[in-house]
């Protein structure tokens, strides 16, 4: 439980971090809250030669408004997200889901950006980012680019962030009146990871659902959108939720592991989607 | 200088008061002495290279690469250590023909489980030692591994120890009465198979050792996070050949053990041997991963249990056939753990016959040994599970079935079919109180309503009326069971010249609060304030005699020894006081810490005054030795038999399989209570661990013998948010076999709670045709049990493909319902 030796660089700015990453390439790793990276180092499952700590990069911290968007710095901790009134008001799904992450100690170190960049399929926030239609601002040697949520999660523990890039911030469209949300996390003890999670935001007008976005946690190597459910819900009223939720496991390929076999996870996805959407729709 | 100034007011008894634990202020403010905190000048650090394979031949091992690494002082394989490598002894050879293979500290030629120690590196710091492990070259030639017990016992199985020619360690038989005769008389024979899964003890503090060979006159001191400093010293002397008087063992603050630190571990031997060889202090601290992998595991039994009963549910006979997993090697009491349960399957029930067989089996897994309750939780689980299952089969309320069979309070003392004399108990009273607190009838009514309206959340009610044997143990009984040591305990009480009290105990607390409880006992015995009592423990240098702490023994054996020693101090003081008061000793009475001459008020001596006289020795009666102190070494005459009734109600979400405990009530009878707050803590912690076995914890190996649940991500230890509010109460039936009237409480909660919870889960699911759910009762298992009637116990794979066999109900010829074999006078 002792990491192999590595060099440590504390970056003062995004540019400095990007420069070091560019020089050291695959041998370098960004260090955010360390709640995923440090265990990997300690178990010697990861052997970076240099760790680039972005914890002191001012612009990567905090939550701000930018017109119709909330902008959350990648280094904003889970605890800060939970405490943010802006997040609670405009993206309540994120507050709700972040409260279920790990335990208070982990939430005071672990970061929003770190969770997304790490992209653990059992992590709660990737599916939430999908449901919230997040945009990811990534800095590299060639400047900054913005990647939509649908293009961000590439494969198991793999995102659009390249080895020489840094995730700077995440932009979330504010959800206004008429939107409801629910994160249904299914896990066995309070501080454990999700076996399956369902993140739902639902917009109702005139009694029926006109928009729903649903993210699935741990239903495959990457977080997924439950598109078939979303389509089935469009224009439906609450009585149609049960039938729509039956599609929650369509086109999913969850793992079979200690947490549950694939068929059980697919069953859970259907049950939890029904519950999440019903709650989000206020029904 | 009036006498009254020095006289304390009539004191209140301290025993029975919820005195705050003396230990806690220091512990919760971090002013602690964990072994890993110890830093000595010139101290080196050890790291252990462990086998990545469950079974392999070591064809080559070369540690020289490690020696090239910075900071490395030495590196050893088994060959480098030679005879000093030593072998861990098993001190409980349960049968004459038990297979007891060598258990070398570093593996010789063959590794037998993942984590088996292969080599060590000694370096200037922990980091250098860990890094250098990677430079050791080992060639492994894989051998077939066997992980499951049925496979290990099958013809042609790979052998864990090929030289033994078998994976069977022993078969041990025991019984009372004539089981076949009881069976012939019975209306029904009810057979069940249960699985008591493997658990990882997971004490909060992992193990750690520091060995310092630079003591005076060649003495080596070993600090170890152990429950058994005294036993450890003896074993270290036997294994290393170092004279016992040159070894001092200290257990400083120890952060939990639950049996996992009731052990002689390889790292303890290696640290002593290597520190001696290098002449420098040496430290090793276990990582959490090592803790999961190589600190001994617990439970792991396949249980076949059979009741021969009348149609009215009267038990005539009980047959138990256990298969117990030893793991890859025998640790100090590995084979004996199931035997501690042998006497407890009959529990609180009267019957004519008992037949017990246990077969110990080697597999390529971490060795097992004692874990909180050691043998008794396994027994209680099986008997209490089958009682609920039988009640369901007979259509009788599970509490009523128990009433028809239990020993009534007028029948004590009662000699059970296992030959134990239960001194006292009142199962009716504890059950009546539990039923009242639980609102048993109200919950049954709600259960009925929910069943009728097919509520997706079903309610289940589980019962466990347990007893256990603890207070280990009468030495003669241990001898008759072939255990090589005794079960006595030692205490010394001294009143120092300044009048304060020193208590030396041979028990070795590691979280239980002995310092507080012993202070209360000594305070009352001597008539002083508990704050005037200092308790010394856990160091063979200052408390040379002891048998340490495990098996809920400390109070019922060590606490009673303390009372005896205190009484002897008072006896001696009385002789001195009589002399000083110029009175006849027979005319003195001892009260509130002072001797008074009966009928002559004002004429008295405090015990502190007497202690000072005993110190100066200027004016002692002839023949009385100076100093005021006494010893007691107490061998208990029998075991202690706490009991209680635990009732659990669960809500099961039948859509997801999730179980939530809704109400948990326990009424325990542990006799007299020294400190009710400490008792409450023991009960709560015990319940948490027993509930953990029922719902959360399970050590899982893959087919290749890798521990899949090797971290706390996968081995789910519940925390406060995962546990319900506990409603606890007590009835008090004092033990008649010790002067304090006490019974053990350290393991009771763990022993009782597991079957209460699983019974509740199964009870909720009976309408779905479910009669068992394998532990841990995960949501997935519950869901499968509901939805796949063929999945017996809720396991994923179809029956037969699960190597463990799952839990099945035997349905023999002519049986009507599952599990009932009809014999004799059919209904
Ligand atoms: C006991 C425990 C329980 C947990 N339970 C949960 C849970 O229930 N749900 C859940 O969602 N999570 C859980 N986590 C994970 C937690 O949320 C972590 O905080 C998170 O996964 C990683 O965030 P971090 O800031 O700690 O990132 P780090 O560990 O520092 O980094 C993780 C990875 O992301 C990369 N990275 C981080 N930041 C950036 C960046 N800005 N740009 C580019 N790359 C970056 C790192 O290089 C590294 O590869 C748990 C963690 C622990 C220790």
């Amino acid at each position: 439980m002792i990491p192999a030796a590595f060099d440590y660089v504390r970056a003062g700015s995004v540019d400095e971090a990007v420069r070091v990453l560019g020089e050291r390439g695959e041998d370098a790793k960004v260090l955010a809250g360390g709640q995923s990276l440090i265990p990997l180092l300690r178990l010697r499952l990861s052997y970076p030669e240099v760790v680039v700590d972005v914890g002191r990069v001012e612009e990567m911290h905090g939550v701000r408004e930018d017109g119709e968007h909330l902008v959350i710095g990648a280094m904003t901790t889970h605890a800060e997200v939970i405490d943010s009134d802006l997040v609670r008001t405009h993206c309540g799904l994120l507050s709700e889901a972040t409260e279920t992450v790990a335990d208070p100690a982990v939430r005071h170190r672990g970061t929003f950006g770190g969770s997304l960049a790490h992209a653990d399929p059992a992590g709660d926030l990737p599916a939430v980012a999908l449901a919230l239609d997040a945009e990811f601002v990534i800095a590299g040697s060639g400047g900054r680019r913005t990647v939509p949520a649908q293009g961000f999660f590439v494969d198991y523990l793999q995102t659009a962030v390249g080895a020489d890039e840094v995730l700077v911030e995440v932009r979330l469209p504010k959800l206004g009146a008429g939107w409801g949300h629910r994160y249904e996390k299914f896990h066995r003890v309070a501080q454990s990871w999700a076996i399956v999670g369902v993140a739902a935001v639902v917009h109702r007008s005139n009694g029926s659902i006109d928009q729903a976005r649903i993210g699935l946690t741990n239903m495959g190597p990457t977080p997924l959108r439950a598109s078939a459910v979303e389509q089935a819900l469009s224009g439906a009223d609450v009585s149609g939720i049960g039938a729509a939720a039956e599609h929650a496991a369509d086109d999913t390929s969850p793992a079979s592991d200690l947490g549950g076999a694939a068929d059980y996870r697919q069953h859970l996805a259907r049950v939890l989607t029904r519950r999440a959407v019903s709650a989000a729709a206020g029904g | 200088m009036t006498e009254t100034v020095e006289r304390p007011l009539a004191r209140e008894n301290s025993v029975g008061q919820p005195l705050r634990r003396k230990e806690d202020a220091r512990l919760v403010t971090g002013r602690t002495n964990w072994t890993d905190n110890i830093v000595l000048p010139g101290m080196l650090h050890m790291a252990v290279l462990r086998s990545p394979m469950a079974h392999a031949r070591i064809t080559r091992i070369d540690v020289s690469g490690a020696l090239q690494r910075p900071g490395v002082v030495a590196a050893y394989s088994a060959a480098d250590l030679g005879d000093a490598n030593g072998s861990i002894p098993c001190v409980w050879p349960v049968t004459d023909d038990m297979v007891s293979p060598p258990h070398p500290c570093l593996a010789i030629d063959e590794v037998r489980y993942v984590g088996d120690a292969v080599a060590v590196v000694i370096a200037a710091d922990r980091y250098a030692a860990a890094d250098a492990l990677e430079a050791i070259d080992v060639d492994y030639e894989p051998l077939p591994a066997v992980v499951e017990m049925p496979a290990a016992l099958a013809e042609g199985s790979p052998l864990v120890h090929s030289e033994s020619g078998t994976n069977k360690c022993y078969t041990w038989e025991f019984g009372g009465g004539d089981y076949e005769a009881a069976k012939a008389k019975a209306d029904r024979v009810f057979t069940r198979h249960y699985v008591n899964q493997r658990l990882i003890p997971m004490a909060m503090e992992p193990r750690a050792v520091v060995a310092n060979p630079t003591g005076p006159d060649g003495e080596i001191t070993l600090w170890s996070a152990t429950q058994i400093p005294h036993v450890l010293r003896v074993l270290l002397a036997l294994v290393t050949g170092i004279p016992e008087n040159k070894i001092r063992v200290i257990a400083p603050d120890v952060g939990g053990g639950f049996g996992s630190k009731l052990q002689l571990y390889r790292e303890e031997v290696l640290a002593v041997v290597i520190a001696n060889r290098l002449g420098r202090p040496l430290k090793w601290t276990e990582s959490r991963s090592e803790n999961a992998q190589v600190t001994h595991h617990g439970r792991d039994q396949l249980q076949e249990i059979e009741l021969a009963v009348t149609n009215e549910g009267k038990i005539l006979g009980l047959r138990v056939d256990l298969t117990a997993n030893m793991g890859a090697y025998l640790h100090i009491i590995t084979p004996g753990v199931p035997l501690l349960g042998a006497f407890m399957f009959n529990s609180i029930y009267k019957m004519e016959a008992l037949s017990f067989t246990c077969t110990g089996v080697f597999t390529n897994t971490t060795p097992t040994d004692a874990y909180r309750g050691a043998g008794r939780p396994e027994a209680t689980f099986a008997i209490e599970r089958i009682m609920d299952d039988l009640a369901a089969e007979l259509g009788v309320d599970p509490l009523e079935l128990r009433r028809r069979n239990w020993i009534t309070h007028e029948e004590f003392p009662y000699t059970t079919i296992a030959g134990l004399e239960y001194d006292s108990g009142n199962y009716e009273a504890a059950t009546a109180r539990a039923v009242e607190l639980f609102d048993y009838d109200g919950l049954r009514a709600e259960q009925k309503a929910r069943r009728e309206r097919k509520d997706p959340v079903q309610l289940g009610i589980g019962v466990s009326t347990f007893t256990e044997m603890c207070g280990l143990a009468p030495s003669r009984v241990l001898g008759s069971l072939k255990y090589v040591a005794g079960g006595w305990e030692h205490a010394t009480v001294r009143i120092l010249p300044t009048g304060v009290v020193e208590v030396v105990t041979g028990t070795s607390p590691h979280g239980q609060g002995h310092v507080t409880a012993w202070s209360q006992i000594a305070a009352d015995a001597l008539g002083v304030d508990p704050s005037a009592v200092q308790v010394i423990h856990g160091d063979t240098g200052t408390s040379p005699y002891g048998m340490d702490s495990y098996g809920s023994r400390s109070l019922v054996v060590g606490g009673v020894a303390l009372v005896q020693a205190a009484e002897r101090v008072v006896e001696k003081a009385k002789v001195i006081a009589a002399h000083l008061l110029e009175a006849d000793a027979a005319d003195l009475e001892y009260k509130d810490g002072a001797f008074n001459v009966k009928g002559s008020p004002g004429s008295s001596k405090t015990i502190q005054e007497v202690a000072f006289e005993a110190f100066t020795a200027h004016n002692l009666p002839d023949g009385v030795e100076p100093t005021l102190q006494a010893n007691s070494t107490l061998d208990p005459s029998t075991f202690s038999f706490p009991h209680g009734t635990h009732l659990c109600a669960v809500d099961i979400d039948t859509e997801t399989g999730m179980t939530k405990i809704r109400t948990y009530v326990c009424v325990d009878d542990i006799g007299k209570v020294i400190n009710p707050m400490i008792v409450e803590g023991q009960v709560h912690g015990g319940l948490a661990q027993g509930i953990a076995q029922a719902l959360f914890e399970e050590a899982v190996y893959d087919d290749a013998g890798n521990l899949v649940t090797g971290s706390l991500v996968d081995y789910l230890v519940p925390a406060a948010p995962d546990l319900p509010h506990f409603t606890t109460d007590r009835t008090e039936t004092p033990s008649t076999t010790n002067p304090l009237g006490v019974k053990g409480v350290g393991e009771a909660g763990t022993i009782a709670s597991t079957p209460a919870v699983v019974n509740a889960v199964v009870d909720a699911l009976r309408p779905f045709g479910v009669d068992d759910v394998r532990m841990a009762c995960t949501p997935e298992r519950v869901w499968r049990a509901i939805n796949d009637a063929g999945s017996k116990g809720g396991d994923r794979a179809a029956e037969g493909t699960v190597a463990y066999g799952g839990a099945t109900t035997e349905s023999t010829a002519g049986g009507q319902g599952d599990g009932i074999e009809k014999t004799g006078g059919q209904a």
Side-chain angles (χ1 to χ4, degrees):
Chain A
M1 296 288 270
I2 292 175
F6 55 83
D7 291 338
Y8 172 86
V9 173
R10 175 182 289 155
S13 65
V14 171
D15 286 349
E16 186 185 349
V18 166
R19 183 169 47 73
V20 178
L21 291 172
E23 285 163 14
R24 306 293 289 262
E26 297 284 341
D27 296 332
K29 269 275 173 205
V30 172
L31 175 68
Q35 298 305 293
S36 293
L37 183 59
I38 300 290
L40 290 174
L41 299 182
R42 286 166 65 94
L43 293 166
R44 299 196 175 206
L45 295 172
S46 174
Y47 285 82
E49 284 177 7
V50 60
V51 162
V52 183
D53 185 350
V54 293
R56 301 279 175 95
V57 178
E58 199 74 31
E59 73 163 299
M60 290 172 69
H61 283 270
V63 182
R64 61 186 161 86
E65 289 183 274
D66 181 10
E68 287 311 298
H69 285 81
L70 278 191
V71 183
I72 304 182
M75 277 306 301
T76 309
T77 64
H78 299 313
E80 287 162 354
V81 168
I82 292 168
D83 286 347
S84 164
D85 288 336
L86 284 176
V87 175
R88 200 162 294 275
T89 308
H90 301 293
C91 294
L93 176 69
L94 178 58
S95 313
E96 185 193 358
T98 308
E99 281 170 354
T100 73
V101 171
D103 52 49
V106 171
R107 292 198 293 267
H108 275 82
R109 287 217 170 252
T111 65
F112 183 49
S115 288
L116 298 170
H118 190 57
D120 192 309
D124 299 297
L125 305 181
V128 169
L130 283 186
L132 291 177
D133 248 348
E135 293 171 344
F136 296 79
V137 179
I138 300 169
S141 50
R144 298 194 180 192
R145 61 197 176 102
T146 300
V147 176
Q150 292 283 28
F152 185 76
F153 300 101
V154 176
D155 204 344
Y156 179 73
L157 301 184
Q158 222 181 306
T159 67
V161 183
D164 54 355
E165 292 182 312
V166 173
L167 173 64
V168 179
E169 61 195 21
V170 179
R171 298 171 61 82
L172 301 171
K174 291 178 182 171
L175 295 181
W179 283 95
H181 60 84
R182 172 72 113 217
Y183 187 62
E184 280 285 338
K185 178 172 183 170
F186 191 82
H187 55 163
R188 288 175 56 203
V189 297
Q191 85 280 18
S192 66
W193 296 80
I195 294 171
V196 173
V198 177
V201 290
V202 173
H203 190 264
R204 282 177 73 175
S205 65
N206 301 326
S208 66
I209 297 171
D210 62 354
Q211 246 198 91
R213 293 198 301 266
I214 298 158
L216 302 176
T217 297
N218 222 6
M219 289 300 291
T222 64
L224 298 171
R225 280 279 285 270
S227 323
V229 181
E230 293 174 3
Q231 276 157 26
L233 282 173
S234 166
D237 65 19
V238 289
S239 66
I241 293 174
E246 285 303 307
H247 295 288
D250 293 3
D251 301 322
T252 61
S253 52
S256 284
D257 57 26
L258 282 177
D263 64 329
Y264 177 60
R265 282 203 161 94
Q266 291 185 322
H267 165 76
L268 284 178
R270 290 187 281 265
V271 174
L272 300 175
T273 297
R274 190 191 75 226
R275 292 180 182 179
V277 172
S278 298
Chain B
M1 284 287 282
T2 59
E3 291 278 328
T4 47
V5 175
E6 290 169 22
R7 290 280 172 272
L9 295 171
R11 62 183 300 284
E12 233 185 298
N13 271 348
S14 180
V15 166
Q17 304 294 328
L19 199 69
R20 284 206 187 155
R21 300 200 336 162
K22 287 177 157 190
E23 296 91 334
D24 288 344
R26 192 173 61 79
L27 291 173
V28 301
T29 54
R31 283 171 296 146
T32 43
N33 302 303
W34 311 110
T35 301
D36 189 44
N37 292 353
I38 295 169
V39 177
L40 298 175
M43 189 171 76
L44 299 169
H45 295 257
M46 178 167 82
V48 183
L49 184 71
R50 301 189 181 279
S51 169
M53 276 177 231
H55 199 189
R57 192 165 293 118
I58 301 174
T59 53
R60 193 179 72 93
I61 179 160
D62 180 3
V63 300
S64 59
L67 294 170
Q68 311 304 316
R69 292 297 186 99
V72 171
V73 172
Y76 305 103
S77 66
D80 302 318
L81 288 178
D83 284 349
N85 191 27
S87 182
I88 303 296
C90 169
V91 301
W92 201 341
V94 295
T95 59
D96 292 333
D97 60 353
M98 184 184 86
V99 174
S100 188
H103 183 178
C105 289
L106 293 176
I108 300 173
D109 300 336
E110 206 167 308
V111 287
R112 295 185 172 83
Y113 70 101
V114 174
D116 210 346
V118 172
V120 293
V121 170
I122 315 299
D125 63 56
R126 237 191 127 171
Y127 307 96
D131 285 346
L133 289 181
E134 294 183 345
I136 298 177
D137 241 351
V138 189
D139 291 344
Y140 295 102
E141 178 190 315
L143 296 170
V146 61
V147 176
E148 308 282 4
M149 288 189 279
L153 289 175
E155 194 73 32
S157 164
L159 295 177
V160 179
H161 297 273
S162 51
E163 71 283 0
S164 315
T166 174
N167 286 325
K168 197 175 97 175
C169 176
Y170 67 88
T171 297
W172 190 84
E173 290 175 342
F174 170 74
D178 181 345
Y179 180 71
E180 287 308 317
K183 190 170 169 178
K185 275 201 290 186
D187 297 323
R188 296 156 177 256
V189 174
F190 189 62
T191 312
R192 303 284 287 141
H193 289 85
Y194 302 120
V195 178
N196 213 286
Q197 84 273 33
R198 179 180 282 243
L199 299 174
I200 303 177
M202 284 289 178
M204 190 86 84
E205 180 207 18
R207 291 185 293 125
V209 295
V210 173
N212 182 11
T214 65
D217 196 19
E219 184 187 82
I220 181 158
T221 301
L222 181 76
W223 287 265
S224 181
T226 181
Q227 296 172 231
I228 54 162
H230 298 92
V231 175
L232 189 57
R233 182 193 195 204
V234 178
L235 290 172
L236 279 172
L238 292 173
V239 171
T240 64
I242 299 169
E244 192 180 347
N245 57 2
K246 300 278 190 208
I247 303 175
R248 175 177 177 186
V249 178
I250 302 176
D253 286 332
V254 177
F258 314 110
S260 75
K261 294 172 182 168
L262 190 197
Q263 197 53 273
L264 170 68
Y265 280 105
R266 292 161 151 187
E267 294 85 359
E268 289 168 321
V269 176
L270 290 167
V272 165
V273 164
I274 295 170
N276 251 351
R277 189 176 273 212
L278 298 174
R280 287 173 69 176
L282 180 63
K283 179 191 280 187
W284 171 80
T285 299
E286 188 180 54
S287 69
R288 182 54 70 187
S289 306
E290 285 176 300
N291 180 261
Q293 206 166 57
V294 303
T295 288
H296 75 236
H297 291 175
R299 314 273 195 273
D300 207 345
Q301 287 185 358
L302 302 179
Q303 308 180 310
E304 178 176 314
I305 176 166
E306 183 174 278
L307 287 174
V309 294
T310 68
N311 281 331
E312 293 71 45
K314 180 87 193 75
I315 301 170
L316 302 177
L318 166 63
R319 184 179 65 80
V320 177
D321 191 351
L322 296 185
T323 316
N325 201 338
M326 306 286 101
Y329 299 96
L330 298 183
H331 249 303
I332 66 171
I333 61 166
T334 302
V337 169
L339 275 57
L340 288 170
F343 306 86
M344 281 293 120
F345 279 88
N346 52 293
S347 187
I348 63 170
Y349 308 117
K350 296 179 281 192
M351 59 189 71
E352 297 169 12
L354 166 69
S355 159
F356 177 92
T357 308
C358 178
T359 300
V361 184
F362 290 108
T363 58
N364 292 109
T365 59
T366 301
T368 63
D369 205 309
Y371 174 52
R372 201 168 189 175
R376 292 101 77 212
E378 294 91 317
T380 303
F381 177 76
I383 186 69
E384 291 305 292
R385 275 289 293 114
I386 199 172
M387 289 302 278
D388 266 34
D389 282 358
L390 177 63
E393 193 73 40
L394 296 174
V396 183
D397 181 274
L399 283 169
E400 174 55 26
L401 182 67
R402 286 167 173 83
R403 279 186 200 104
R404 290 179 193 172
N405 287 287
W406 70 32
I407 303 158
T408 62
H409 69 278
E410 307 92 356
E411 292 175 288
F412 290 95
Y414 182 90
T415 301
T416 71
I417 192 64
L420 294 176
E421 188 182 280
Y422 292 178
D423 61 313
S424 64
N426 191 333
Y427 309 138
E428 301 97 314
T431 302
R433 181 71 183 132
V435 163
E436 180 190 331
L437 289 169
F438 190 72
D439 185 19
Y440 188 82
D441 295 335
L443 284 171
R444 282 283 181 215
E446 183 184 335
Q447 177 181 52
K448 187 158 172 279
R450 287 222 223 151
R451 282 181 179 176
E452 278 164 6
R453 66 168 187 262
K454 299 210 179 332
D455 195 315
V457 179
Q458 284 290 317
L459 173 65
I461 296 168
V463 174
S464 170
T465 50
F466 86 105
T467 188
E468 64 128 338
M469 54 188 264
C470 60
L472 305 181
S475 298
R476 279 190 216 165
V477 176
L478 292 178
S480 73
L481 293 172
K482 297 182 184 292
Y483 180 66
V484 301
W488 47 264
E489 196 44 81
H490 185 83
T492 301
V493 172
R494 306 181 189 119
I495 309 209
L496 302 182
T498 54
V500 291
V501 179
E502 217 166 60
V503 167
V504 184
T505 179
T507 66
S508 194
H510 41 282
Q512 298 89 338
H514 295 178
V515 167
T516 305
W518 277 215
S519 295
Q520 291 179 267
I521 293 169
D524 281 8
L526 298 170
V528 301
D529 193 85
S531 63
V533 182
Q534 180 78 14
V535 180
I536 294 168
H537 62 79
D539 178 350
T540 62
T542 55
S543 70
Y545 294 104
M547 293 302 292
D548 307 313
S549 289
Y550 42 84
S552 302
R553 70 185 304 273
S554 296
L555 176 61
V556 286
V557 190
V560 174
L562 165 58
V563 170
Q564 272 191 7
E567 281 169 2
R568 287 174 189 169
V569 163
V570 173
E571 262 167 52
K572 177 172 180 181
K574 192 178 218 176
V575 175
I576 300 170
H579 173 75
L580 297 173
L581 292 166
E582 296 176 357
D584 192 308
D587 292 336
L588 293 191
E589 61 175 11
Y590 186 65
K591 195 165 176 292
D592 295 342
F595 295 95
N596 301 289
V597 183
K598 286 178 211 156
S600 118
S603 177
S604 78
K605 284 278 172 202
T606 65
I607 192 127
Q608 290 84 1
E609 287 167 329
V610 175
F612 193 73
E613 291 289 346
F615 166 67
T616 65
H618 295 168
N619 181 20
L620 294 180
D622 290 343
V624 172
E625 290 178 5
T627 75
L628 189 50
Q629 60 175 322
N631 296 320
S632 163
T633 310
L634 180 112
D635 200 353
S637 60
T638 180
F639 296 92
S640 145
F641 303 102
H643 71 81
T645 296
H646 290 223
L647 298 173
C648 177
V650 297
D651 281 330
I652 292 187
D653 177 344
T654 57
E655 282 190 311
T656 63
M658 179 62 92
T659 299
K660 283 257 180 275
I661 295 180
R662 160 171 156 170
T663 310
Y664 197 100
V665 169
C666 66
V667 178
D668 292 316
D669 194 322
I670 55 159
K672 289 278 185 200
V673 167
I674 306 299
N675 183 322
M677 193 166 64
I678 289 179
V679 164
E680 191 76 0
Q682 289 293 315
V683 171
H684 279 221
L687 293 177
Q689 260 168 321
I691 290 169
Q693 176 170 20
L695 296 181
F696 302 115
E697 297 184 17
E698 180 175 9
V700 179
Y701 284 91
D702 67 15
D703 292 343
N706 297 299
L707 179 64
V708 186
T709 52
S711 88
L712 290 167
V713 173
D714 297 310
Y715 189 83
L716 294 190
V717 178
D722 310 307
L723 296 164
H725 172 81
F726 300 129
T727 303
T728 63
D729 201 357
R730 279 184 279 107
T731 53
E732 194 170 296
T733 313
S735 168
T736 61
T737 58
N738 68 66
L740 286 169
V742 295
K743 308 173 184 182
V745 71
E747 295 156 303
T750 309
I751 292 169
S753 55
T754 308
V757 177
V758 178
N759 279 337
V761 170
V762 175
D763 184 55
L765 303 184
R766 287 198 198 275
F768 298 91
V770 173
D771 62 9
D772 195 23
V773 177
R774 277 263 316 264
M775 294 192 290
C777 301
T778 63
E780 184 181 8
R781 283 201 176 113
V782 168
W783 178 75
R784 286 192 194 282
I786 294 171
N787 289 287
D788 179 4
S791 79
K792 290 297 182 189
D795 268 340
R796 261 179 221 169
E799 203 179 345
T801 63
V802 181
Y804 255 165
T808 55
T809 298
E810 221 92 298
S811 186
T812 35
Q816 274 188 340
D818 249 12
I820 292 289
E821 174 192 351
K822 295 207 168 179
T823 61
Q826 287 194 0

